[in-house]
Amino acid sequence: MMEARDFQAIDAAKLYYLSDKSQSEVAKELGVSRPTVSKLLATAREKGFVRITIVDPRESGSTVGAQLKEAFGLSAVQVAPGPSGISGEEVDSLGRLGAQVLQGLVKDGDSVGVSWGNTMYAIARHLEVQNVHGVEIVQLKGGMSHSERATNDFETIDLFCRAFHAHARLLPLPAVFRSAEVKRLVEDEPHIAGVMERGRLADVVVFTVGAARPESMLFQLGYFSDADRKRILSTAVGDICSRWVDRSGRVCVPDVDARTVGIGLQDLKLRPVRLLVAGGLDKAEAILVALREGYVTHLVIDQGTAEKVLLLARM
């Protein structure tokens, strides 16, 4: 049976929690002292008249991260809180967390394979100088643009080298050639062949994925004809290291893939440490393919995209 003090405690709680009044204002309205209001609020909590719920995005991120880790047999998952768009602030947040994870993975003497893109450039900008020696940074795929859109591939590699006291192995080539024959001839050049081989042997690779959308970066670099673009958009969910894949993980449009410069997906899968840093709801399908096909050992992702990947995985 409720007592008069219980009713007073409920009144105090409503004024304090629902009307957003200060304890002094509640005391004045109820005609009691401020210490009495504090005791009334404590009584309201103790008797269950008030329930306080704290929503900590770090905890929900930890939960979804654990689910992804278990579902795909990953070594580690880090989830960035916040929205799942593609704004500069959100990419920057992913880059900051991706840099922290990568710094914990690279050790003396490692060869680090690096792709390019907005997310990769964000990672590079957040890298701090590390106390490691004998590290080599290898560009995993071509990045020269045929348009005014910049890939920041060389800038990304340079920042990686500064952070890890490393020397660079660069691929001064476009990601996609117009001719498969020209691509084969260029890759046969000893220096280029050496860089490609170093990428296939990297100890750690860090990469991202792209969505198959007309506004995606790969479509803005002048690599594809209208016919190429139409075929890719009709079959692909996204790209992994510039390799377009469908929902089942198969490489799309084989003749385009034959013109593509960089590490192949089977070689990517053989690398010991494979860090994927990616976010944005439009990339969820491509991320899911990368996870299902075993291209990832470590993942950095945003909260909303992580939840969408799990939802797609259950469908």
Side-chain angles (χ1 to χ4, degrees), residues 28-148:
K28 184 176 181 180
E29 186 158 338
L30 294 181
V32 298
S33 67
R34 187 179 179 282
T36 298
V37 170
S38 180
K39 292 177 182 178
L40 289 171
L41 293 174
T43 297
R45 291 194 297 271
E46 289 168 4
K47 293 200 171 184
F49 304 145
V50 171
R51 297 186 181 94
I52 299 174
T53 302
I54 297 175
V55 179
D56 186 345
R58 295 171 299 181
E59 292 178 357
S60 56
S62 176
T63 299
V64 75
Q67 291 175 336
L68 284 170
K69 182 179 178 181
E70 181 179 0
F72 298 103
L74 303 175
S75 298
V77 178
Q78 293 290 329
V79 180
S84 305
I86 53 174
S87 72
E89 183 178 346
E90 290 151 13
V91 172
D92 191 67
S93 177
L94 275 176
R96 183 183 299 107
L97 188 53
Q100 293 170 2
V101 172
L102 180 64
Q103 287 165 179
L105 295 173
V106 178
K107 60 185 185 301
D108 290 350
D110 274 347
S111 175
V112 182
V114 179
S115 67
W116 51 258
N118 291 331
T119 303
M120 296 301 305
Y121 191 38
I123 293 170
R125 294 196 306 271
H126 284 289
L127 288 171
E128 299 177 353
V129 176
Q130 302 296 296
N131 184 26
V132 291
H133 306 280
V135 173
E136 175 182 77
I137 305 297
V138 185
Q139 188 173 347
L140 287 178
K141 62 178 186 175
M144 292 179 62
S145 175
H146 294 323
S147 70
E148 295 181 359

Side-chain angles (χ1 to χ4, degrees), residues 142 144 146 174-178 218 223-224 242 244 256 259-261:
M144 292 179 62
H146 294 323
V176 184
F177 276 88
R178 300 289 175 86
L218 271 177
Y223 296 145
F224 304 114
S242 298
W244 294 104
V256 170
R259 292 155 37 202
T260 301
V261 177

Side-chain angles (χ1 to χ4, degrees), residues 136-140 157 167-171 191 194-195 198:
E136 175 182 77
I137 305 297
V138 185
Q139 188 173 347
L140 287 178
I157 296 292
H167 65 276
R169 301 260 189 169
L170 298 172
L171 274 179
H191 172 74
V195 176
R198 292 304 300 165

